[in-house]
Amino acid sequence: VSPFAPLGERELEPWLQQPLQDLGVDESAIGSGSRTQRSGASIGEVVQAASEKYDLNMEFWGKYTDIPSMALAAEKDDILQIIENFALIRRKHVYLFQRLKATVLRSLDDWSAPDLAGVCHAWAQLGFLHEDLCVAMADRVSTTAQNCTTQELVWLLDAYASARCSVESVSDALVMQTLIRMDEFTLSQLCHHASSFARLNLRHEGIFCAIAERFVAQAATTAAEGAISPSSSRVSLPLCARDITLAAYSFAKLGFHAQGFFDIIAARSLEVMRDFTARDLQMLTVALVRARHLDGELLHGISVQAQRRMAQFNSESLVLMLRGMALLRRGEARVAAKHEPLFTRAIAQLPRAIPTFRPVDVTMLLSAFAAVQVHSAALFDVVTPVILEKAPLFTPADWLSALRSYAALGRKDALFLSALVLHLQAPKLS
């Protein structure tokens, strides 16, 4: 009989009846391994990893023996405490959160808008907020929104914006509460609130006019305080660089281009210019383009800060930044001289960024250089080989845009022209 032949039922019977201990198997381990694998890291591992970076609430972490027991929490206060403590240590635990979300969905009648705001804010930070929860909790949010603080109103609208989930009843309730309590919001909260409206494409004129009025009133108040007490530390708006970026981009995206509002944004931007990140600079520049707000001092400050942050730009933000600066300065005297340091610094970063460029990014980059008439042989040394490499991906519109830029910069490039002749199909031109 072959040793590899399958055993019949008669031969298996003694093995099936034999105790597990006799086979060298720990019976208590059966099932626990699968539970551990399913539930991820143990509480001990989570605590050990988090204790190196964060101050832990050991009273909370000591209440539970393992993740599966934590996932059985059914009381609202326990669920809130678990989610908030995981958010504090920036730790996402999918198995645990899935179980807790299922519990929340089964007991939504016990939850109010303030409770759901805390849950959504924590899960949005950890990247676990999904559309199903936003839709399911819509009725509870719309009926209990009046119980929220201003911060909780901001968190709720941010949750729906993060999930890109627009529910009319929720939007109406949050808009009404925002208008009623507009004076209770801080300026920073209003900036984040405006960002949520912009991400949801909710163009509510009453909200944005009220926000602009708050900015103007606060600017007038701080200016008066500075005149009365020049040594006072409160002579500027209490806004950080991120707040300014969100406010400017939101107003510009939704088409609210009040001159007075953008004058205030420009003034505060100059005060915190060194705090802007590369992403902030790109968003602020695009906002200024959309609002058609030209401020020479602000553009100079953005240009200088962009040069400091140049290594932090990714391919998309770098192109949008240069295009925005070119559009804002187009037609101005001595454009090339003013822009040459920024564009020269950008050329130095192209070998790093350009491998991920799309054809539209390449043509947009060339158009920006052509608009400000910054001539550089190094630019074409980098760009032309990329065009040759990605030539099959270029559309007729891309080829014509690139040709116009080469011509505007006075660059006669045989390699580019040969690729153009080869890939540009005349019948496809409009």
Side-chain angles (χ1 to χ4, degrees), residues 165-300:
C165 176
S166 182
V167 180
E168 186 176 0
S169 60
V170 173
S171 300
D172 292 344
L174 296 181
V175 165
M176 180 181 297
Q177 292 302 315
T178 300
L179 289 172
I180 292 173
R181 306 167 65 180
M182 178 62 68
D183 293 338
E184 300 176 22
F185 286 85
T186 66
L187 291 186
S188 178
Q189 289 173 346
L190 289 175
C191 293
H192 288 264
H193 219 31
S195 171
S196 298
F197 277 96
R199 282 178 285 158
L200 289 171
N201 286 318
L202 295 176
R203 192 180 189 278
H204 196 286
E205 188 172 355
I207 291 284
F208 280 82
C209 288
I211 293 175
E213 290 173 0
R214 279 289 310 276
F215 270 71
V216 172
Q218 186 67 36
T221 300
T222 53
E225 290 176 355
I228 295 172
S229 177
S231 60
S232 173
S233 59
R234 297 182 61 213
V235 296
S236 60
L237 294 180
L239 297 172
C240 66
R242 187 59 180 167
D243 295 336
I244 294 168
T245 302
L246 294 177
Y249 191 81
S250 302
F251 271 72
K253 178 183 177 182
L254 294 178
F256 298 106
H257 303 157
Q259 183 67 28
F261 173 80
F262 277 93
D263 287 340
I264 295 170
I265 289 293
R268 181 56 181 161
S269 297
L270 289 170
E271 296 173 357
V272 295
M273 185 57 68
R274 294 185 70 90
D275 297 332
F276 282 96
T277 64
R279 176 66 171 165
D280 292 337
L281 292 168
Q282 175 254 305
M283 291 179 65
L284 179 59
T285 303
V286 171
L288 294 175
V289 172
R290 288 184 173 182
R292 295 180 174 82
H293 185 85
L294 183 60
D295 186 313
E297 186 179 5
L298 176 59
L299 293 181
H300 174 73

Side-chain angles (χ1 to χ4, degrees), residues 116-136:
L116 294 168
V119 170
C120 290
H121 177 62
W123 277 346
Q125 287 182 311
L126 297 174
F128 187 75
L129 185 63
H130 301 127
E131 187 178 1
D132 59 341
L133 176 61
C134 294
V135 173

Side-chain angles (χ1 to χ4, degrees), residues 67-147:
I67 296 294
S69 65
M70 188 179 285
L72 296 176
E75 296 297 324
K76 178 175 65 177
D77 291 341
D78 293 337
I79 293 174
L80 284 169
Q81 189 180 38
I82 292 170
I83 295 172
E84 289 170 358
N85 276 275
F86 270 84
L88 288 175
I89 64 172
R90 305 291 190 272
R91 184 65 180 260
K92 178 180 177 179
H93 201 292
V94 176
Y95 166 77
L96 172 63
F97 290 169
Q98 285 176 338
R99 295 291 299 272
L100 294 180
K101 184 172 76 170
T103 303
V104 172
L105 292 174
R106 286 196 302 269
S107 58
L108 271 176
D109 290 341
D110 299 330
W111 292 74
S112 64
D115 303 325
L116 294 168
V119 170
C120 290
H121 177 62
W123 277 346
Q125 287 182 311
L126 297 174
F128 187 75
L129 185 63
H130 301 127
E131 187 178 1
D132 59 341
L133 176 61
C134 294
V135 173
M137 72 183 195
D139 289 340
R140 294 299 299 162
V141 171
S142 58
T143 55
T144 59
Q146 68 275 8
N147 299 326

